[in-house]
Each structure stands twice: as C-alpha cells, then as structure tokens.
Amino acid sequence: MKVTHVADDTFNFCCNMTDEQDARARGLIERAAAKWPLRILHVLSDAGAPLRFSRLMERVEGISQKVLTQTLRTLENDGLIIRTLYPEVPLRVEYELTPLGRDLLMQVATLWRWVVERLGDFDARKAVKLSATNV
C-alpha cells in the first residue's frame, strides 16, 4: 500500500478558520469546480479580451443559454468576472476575467495538469478494481 505523507504544516491555515470561513471556502471551491465555471473562465482567458454573451455561447460547447446566464451571474457575484453593460441600441454586454478570476484559473491549472498527466494511473486503478470484483 502506498501512503502519501503530507508535511505537518500543509494545512495549518485551516486551524485558524472559523466554521463560517470554512463553509464559505468550501462553497467557493464547489462552485468553481462545477461543470461550467472553469470552462467559462478558460474561454475568457483564451480570448484575451472581453467577450459578448453570444461569443461565449459559441465557444462554450454544450451549455444552454439559461445555464450560461446563471453561471455568469455566479462568477460575477464571486468577483471572478466583470460584466460591462453598454447602453447602446441594441444593448451590448461583455464579460471579462478579473485579476481574481485569472489568479484562480492559474491555481486550478496546476491541479488540472496534475489530473490530466495521471489519467492513465486513475484508469489503471479502476481496471484493477473492476477485475477484482469480477473474480
């Protein structure tokens, strides 16, 4: 059995958190790790410029208009994107990453890369489990 030892001070930051702070932090992680938020942040990052709603719809394949709207509102409320409304006819709305959103995306990229590089390991483990249950 392989055991991973975590440095004693790795999670020290958690010791001083209140239950409310812990709940808020976990909520933010859950929202960011949901199906669409990271994909939207990635698309906005790749664009390198503000995108209109319709351009986001085109680039975030498989998302519905309703879910994109809800996700954009959540990302805006969390301070990860900026929504700019231009009072033109017709109205123009653009979305872009905030520095906080860009920083989150860069932090998550490390985890994302780690997972992708180890997909074979996860698949192998799953295959071992499946073969053991079929014996």
Side-chain angles (χ1 to χ4, degrees):
M1 184 165 92
K2 188 176 181 180
V3 178
T4 302
H5 294 282
V6 179
D8 291 342
D9 62 347
T10 301
F11 292 101
N12 279 355
F13 70 93
C14 294
C15 297
N16 297 323
M17 291 174 57
T18 65
D19 288 343
E20 191 260 337
Q21 289 171 322
D22 183 58
R24 286 179 40 220
R26 289 175 187 275
L28 283 164
I29 291 169
E30 287 174 14
R31 285 194 303 278
K35 183 174 183 177
W36 298 110
L38 292 176
R39 180 72 184 127
I40 292 168
L41 294 176
H42 186 227
V43 166
L44 287 170
S45 176
D46 276 354
L51 287 178
R52 294 180 76 160
F53 184 90
S54 57
R55 299 292 83 81
L56 274 168
M57 275 293 296
E58 292 169 358
R59 295 178 188 195
V60 182
E61 204 169 302
I63 195 168
S64 70
Q65 184 173 348
K66 177 183 175 182
V67 171
L68 179 57
T69 299
Q70 291 171 339
T71 306
L72 288 169
R73 283 184 187 147
T74 299
L75 292 170
E76 182 183 14
N77 288 338
D78 287 338
L80 301 173
I81 64 169
I82 295 171
R83 176 181 183 266
T84 304
L85 175 66
Y86 296 93
E88 303 170 350
V89 178
L91 287 176
R92 180 170 53 110
V93 179
E94 292 182 339
Y95 299 89
E96 63 184 305
L97 284 179
T98 63
L100 187 63
R102 189 169 309 283
D103 188 39
L104 172 65
L105 192 57
M106 297 317 302
Q107 299 303 315
V108 169
T110 303
L111 174 61
W112 206 331
R113 184 179 305 110
W114 182 89
V115 168
V116 170
E117 290 172 353
R118 288 161 181 80
L119 285 174
D121 296 334
F122 288 107
D123 292 343
R125 178 67 183 150
K126 189 175 182 179
V128 167
K129 286 278 261 191
L130 284 174
S131 66
T133 58
N134 292 330
V135 173

